[in-house]
Amino acid sequence: MSGNWRQTCIVLERALHPNKVQQMRIGVPKEIKTHEYRVGLTPAAVREFTGRGHAVTVQENSGIGIGFADDAYRAAGATIVPSAAEVFAASDMIVKVKEPLPAEIALLRPDHVLFTYLHLAADKAQTEGLMKSGATCIAYETVTDARGALPLLAPMSEVAGRMSVQVGAHCLEKEQGGAGVLLGGVPGVPAGKVVVIGGGVSGTNAARLAVGLGAHVTVIDRSIARLKELDQEFGAQLSTLFSTTEAIEQSVIDADLVIGAVLVPGAAAPKLVTRAMVARMRPGSVVVDIAIDQGGCLETSRPTSHAAPTYVEEGVVHYCVTNMPGAVARTSTIALGNATLPFALALATKGWRQAMRDDPHLRAGLNVHAGMVTYKAVADDLGLAYKSAAEIVAQG
């Protein structure tokens, strides 16, 4: 049955039986990004779908690396299949963690709904691939809530923020190429200096962990209100600075560890730390760019993987892994699933268009539909045509 004919049947069925819960076929492929062990749905989440009459197909061994065996998925009501191609073929909605790679984009159909992290503003090739597929693509990272926050990005931002200090401290060790600095210091030796650029969810979590280690911590942000909140939360345990080029420059060149935690929702990260600034840092200093998913906030940043997480540029160790939370995949999968499940259930039960009519916060997640970019920041950054999600949802 073609995608258009299937959609027509669904529309007619809903018109004839408006109170009947419609079955949606959910697909969970195994993640194929390097050293990515997270999975789109846990067995507990699968049970929520099957308990509501939906069908779930999971690729075999999708969760085996983090303790979710195929038998647990079967017990929750899922069908297990050997290949990603079978998952895509059997499904109406694909639920993933990371952005689809080319081999996965090739499996998308115009009638598919894709629900995952996308980070399109830094990836024109992926954006054009999704446009060509014709699929409806919803990005976790641009779904909002009533407070204007990003509830599906927040869990991974918390993980990445905490991890940034953990991996930064490790990279400062001499055998890792670092300067041999212990962030917390010891009696008679000063603690290391940590500069966090961005006081949002990831930056705050980074600051909290760095403070806990006993480091000297400075947070830089452009929001005075946010700096006041941080001051009230941490008091004299950390310093706050309003974001200017001079403040960033002076702080960065004196730091042992710089954590880039800048976020512009849906858009490419601004390059706040120049190559010239990095070149003036002490040899063996470390930068961790959490914003690398959105292109990174340092001029010297380039994407790395867990297989080869670091490189040295201008004498400074750079850690720019694009899926940092994948290193703690079980914790990350459960945290992400807790946040995404209500939205995924709404999409499955109501269909994506009605779910977005009912919830403007979910509608903010629509990034690509039927060959059009539907998130303005992505269209602006990539120089592509734009059609508003509100206009798309109002159709049909």
Side-chain angles (χ1 to χ4, degrees), residues 38 40 95-97 114-119 138-159 201 263 293 325 332-347 356 359 361-366:
R38 288 175 290 180
V95 180
K96 281 175 45 61
V97 177
L114 174 65
F115 194 33
T116 189
Y117 286 117
L118 293 176
H119 299 291
I138 306 166
Y140 292 159
E141 72 271 11
T142 62
V143 173
T144 58
D145 65 17
R147 298 178 293 112
L150 304 171
L152 307 190
L153 185 61
M156 297 303 94
S157 295
E158 292 169 351
V159 171
V201 175
L263 174 67
D293 273 334
S332 297
T333 293
I334 296 170
L336 179 61
N338 290 342
T340 59
L341 182 60
F343 294 97
L345 285 171
L347 290 166
M356 289 186 178
D359 186 354
H361 302 298
L362 177 57
R363 187 169 67 226
L366 187 63

Side-chain angles (χ1 to χ4, degrees), residues 76-102:
T79 298
I80 306 298
V81 298
S83 69
E86 291 171 274
V87 171
F88 279 74
S91 304
D92 303 306
M93 180 166 71
I94 304 298
V95 180
K96 281 175 45 61
V97 177
K98 289 303 293 178
E99 73 282 353
L101 298 182

Side-chain angles (χ1 to χ4, degrees), residues 6 54 66-67 74 132 152 187 191 215 231 234 273 285-286 337 360 393:
R6 184 187 297 116
H54 304 298
I66 52 174
R74 289 191 184 95
K132 184 178 179 180
L152 307 190
D231 183 70
F234 292 99
V273 179
S285 299
V286 174
V393 170

Side-chain angles (χ1 to χ4, degrees), residues 363 366 387-395:
R363 187 169 67 226
L366 187 63
K387 189 172 185 178
S388 75
E391 185 178 354
I392 294 291
V393 170
Q395 296 172 349

Side-chain angles (χ1 to χ4, degrees), residues 117-248:
Y117 286 117
L118 293 176
H119 299 291
L120 296 180
D123 192 344
K124 191 169 186 178
Q126 183 202 169
T127 305
E128 291 176 338
L130 294 178
M131 293 168 67
K132 184 178 179 180
S133 77
T136 298
C137 306
I138 306 166
Y140 292 159
E141 72 271 11
T142 62
V143 173
T144 58
D145 65 17
R147 298 178 293 112
L150 304 171
L152 307 190
L153 185 61
M156 297 303 94
S157 295
E158 292 169 351
V159 171
R162 297 182 186 201
M163 276 192 65
S164 67
V165 177
Q166 181 175 303
V167 300
H170 182 58
C171 289
L172 276 169
E173 296 173 10
K174 194 65 181 176
E175 66 273 20
Q176 303 303 316
V181 172
L182 181 66
L183 281 183
V186 293
V189 181
K193 295 179 180 179
V194 177
V195 173
V196 181
I197 305 174
V201 175
S202 57
T204 299
N205 277 271
R208 182 173 293 116
L209 211 65
V211 165
L213 289 176
H216 291 300
V217 183
T218 300
V219 178
I220 303 174
D221 199 277
R222 64 180 180 177
S223 168
I224 292 294
R226 183 61 192 141
L227 294 177
K228 287 181 178 178
E229 292 171 351
L230 290 167
D231 183 70
Q232 290 171 354
E233 179 177 353
F234 292 99
Q237 291 179 300
L238 62 73
S239 301
T240 58
L241 286 175
F242 181 73
S243 182
T244 63
T245 300
E246 183 173 351
I248 293 172

